[in-house]
Amino acid sequence: MSGGNNKHYRDATRLVTGGRRPEWTQRIVNPPVWRASTILYDNVAQLRDSATRDTHHRLFYGRKGTPTQWALAEALTDLEPGAEATFLYPSGVAAISAALLAVLSPGDELLLPDSVYDPTRGFATGFLKRFGITTRFYDPTVGAGIADLISDTTRAIFMESPGSLTFEVQDIPAIVAVAKEHGLVTLLDNTWATPLLFPAIEKGIDLTILACTKYVVGHSDVMMGSVTATPELWQTLRSTSFALGQTVSPDDAWLGSRGLRTMGVRLAQHGKSALTIAQWLQSRPEVARVLHPALDTCPGSDIFHRDFKGASGLFGFVFNGGDEESRAAFIDALDLFGIGYSWGGFESLATPVDPQRIRTATRWEAEGPAVRLQIGLEDTDDLIADLEQALACIRTRP
Ligand SMILES: *Cc1c(COP(=O)(O)O)cnc(C)c1O
């Protein structure tokens, strides 16, 4: 197989060939599960010698990984032209915290978008604050205006586009340009788009993060995260991750690799179905606004069409009036949509969202309560019929 040299191929081919080095697969198609804590040496001299050598892609001790984890990490790196390496973490949140700890030190300031994933906010305002790192929240639609927020202590700009819950699209190229001018590190939570829809390193991001739990795994059965780094930052990221003892089980990595091979076709279908349903919802009188980056009712949709290769399967909508109770009645009336956290699996989900409870730098104003939908791989006509009957339920409520 490609053996780490598939950069000239297109995305779909890279998804199939990535990480399948013969020395890692032993000619088994999907890299097998290499379980290890202890690695045995022939003699003391070899053990001592091993400790002095670079452990990247060399068996040393289970915590530093085996070919099962390296294969998935390499396949993810292969999807990011210009990237040097990827490290895996036991969750998306672990990936985010490791990436931030790799680049921040006491006294530094971090810029976070107000639409950031809430646990990222919590890590910054709780944990990082305790270690003398301050956070300034910014309007996700600020674009090049981010320059006005930079101070002497600013060290890094974090982005997430589209934003969690509210889906504002950020002008990443404009923010990256300002960051480069000021010598700041840029980080992106790219979970929604994945490198298939937004190749982050190519767009100038230094550290790009995925909650692999979502589309990479794709089957709602594994927690995992990844950070992919530039040639300048990968060793800093690696030493921080090793210092924190971050490691992923080979069984989980194997499931991640298995999921990744079909991520392209899954994502294309999620995207197509979600857009169909978003457009249908937009035509409904019960719906005030659909928060889908490809629709012009979503802030930054022009930027979305300029920068992204397509949309994935997660979006939101705002009811035209109503309250907490009518929203709950709607969600409870759905048959095909599960009620639960996370997304990116093969099944549809609906969750109530309340951005106004979280924000600190901007105000979230809406015509009614909001719902987030993850569109799975079910037939869209069935999903639309389900949404229609649930909307009918709330219309006929006493
Ligand atoms: C789910 C999610 C995460 C966290 O991933 P976990 O694997 O659940 O820790 C991070 N960022 C975004 C945008 C997410 O949706």
Side-chain angles (χ1 to χ4, degrees):
M1 289 317 304
S2 69
N5 181 27
N6 64 1
K7 300 250 189 291
H8 55 293
Y9 291 130
R10 291 169 182 80
D11 284 345
T13 313
R14 288 196 222 140
L15 280 171
V16 169
T17 55
R20 292 171 56 199
R21 299 190 192 191
E23 68 268 33
W24 294 347
T25 62
Q26 304 292 319
R27 310 220 160 260
I28 290 167
V29 172
N30 194 31
V33 179
W34 295 60
R35 281 176 206 268
S37 55
T38 300
I39 310 296
L40 298 172
Y41 299 93
D42 288 345
N43 49 48
V44 172
Q46 198 187 66
L47 177 136
R48 295 232 187 275
D49 177 54
S50 174
T52 64
R53 291 208 271 153
D54 187 0
T55 56
H56 197 53
H57 294 170
R58 280 192 47 244
L59 285 172
F60 174 71
Y61 176 55
R63 200 190 323 111
K64 307 267 171 105
T66 68
T68 314
Q69 293 101 331
W70 303 336
L72 174 58
E74 183 167 274
L76 290 169
T77 307
D78 286 350
L79 296 177
E80 290 279 0
E84 183 66 29
T86 298
F87 294 90
L88 303 176
Y89 304 85
S91 71
V93 166
I96 291 164
S97 53
L100 288 169
L101 289 170
V103 297
L104 295 168
S105 302
D108 288 346
E109 183 183 66
L110 165 70
L111 300 182
L112 272 190
D114 214 14
S115 54
V116 80
Y117 182 62
D118 198 35
T120 307
R121 175 186 289 266
F123 179 72
T125 57
F127 191 97
L128 291 179
K129 181 162 177 257
R130 218 153 47 79
F131 289 85
I133 297 159
T134 56
T135 300
R136 187 161 177 183
F137 288 93
Y138 67 88
D139 182 338
T141 63
V142 71
I146 195 95
D148 299 336
L149 304 178
I150 292 168
S151 70
D152 291 346
T153 57
T154 308
R155 167 82 180 123
I157 306 176
F158 193 100
M159 286 160 263
E160 186 186 324
S161 181
S164 274
L165 311 186
T166 44
F167 300 94
E168 296 94 332
V169 183
Q170 296 198 250
D171 193 340
I172 294 174
I175 294 175
V176 163
V178 171
K180 289 203 189 299
E181 210 172 292
H182 290 79
L184 307 179
V185 176
T186 51
L187 304 93
L188 174 69
D189 182 334
N190 200 27
T191 301
W192 186 90
T194 83
L196 297 182
L197 304 179
F198 189 86
I201 300 288
E202 196 175 67
K203 302 266 187 186
I205 295 288
D206 296 310
L207 295 174
T208 179
I209 302 157
L210 296 178
C212 298
T213 309
K214 314 292 169 51
Y215 287 127
V216 172
V217 166
H219 295 72
S220 305
D221 48 10
V222 176
M223 302 296 303
M224 199 191 301
S226 68
V227 183
T228 301
T230 56
E232 293 73 33
L233 279 181
W234 79 277
Q235 281 177 327
T236 304
L237 175 69
R238 176 174 70 158
S239 61
T240 303
S241 304
F242 284 172
L244 292 167
Q246 294 289 18
T247 186
V248 156
S249 86
D251 301 76
D252 286 351
W254 179 83
L255 281 164
S257 285
R258 164 180 271 229
L260 186 71
R261 305 297 171 200
T262 60
M263 186 168 79
V265 285
R266 283 187 287 108
L267 210 52
Q269 187 60 51
H270 284 298
K272 187 167 171 246
S273 299
L275 189 59
T276 302
I277 291 170
Q279 283 163 340
W280 179 81
L281 280 167
Q282 207 168 28
S283 73
R284 298 290 310 198
E286 301 90 342
V287 174
R289 225 167 354 125
V290 178
L291 309 169
H292 186 296
L295 302 180
D296 59 14
T297 43
C298 188
S301 65
D302 51 332
I303 295 167
F304 176 78
H305 291 297
R306 184 192 69 192
D307 293 346
F308 287 68
K309 295 182 189 170
S312 66
L314 187 78
F315 68 95
F317 71 90
V318 176
F319 277 109
N320 209 345
D323 55 17
E324 179 85 41
E325 262 179 66
S326 59
R327 174 174 64 181
F330 166 79
I331 294 175
D332 290 349
L334 292 165
D335 280 328
L336 288 174
F337 289 79
I339 305 168
Y341 293 113
S342 203
W343 48 279
F346 53 80
E347 83 297 4
S348 291
L349 296 169
T351 44
V353 295
D354 297 292
Q356 72 280 6
R357 293 192 192 153
I358 300 169
R359 300 197 155 214
T360 52
T362 54
R363 273 174 66 85
W364 166 254
E365 309 211 40
E367 301 82 344
V371 172
R372 191 184 72 176
L373 296 179
Q374 126 86 7
I375 303 303
L377 301 176
E378 304 89 344
D379 188 287
T380 42
D381 288 342
D382 288 336
L383 293 174
I384 287 173
D386 194 26
L387 290 164
E388 187 157 31
Q389 65 78 25
L391 288 173
C393 285
I394 57 165
R395 255 200 327 276
T396 56
R397 269 165 32 106

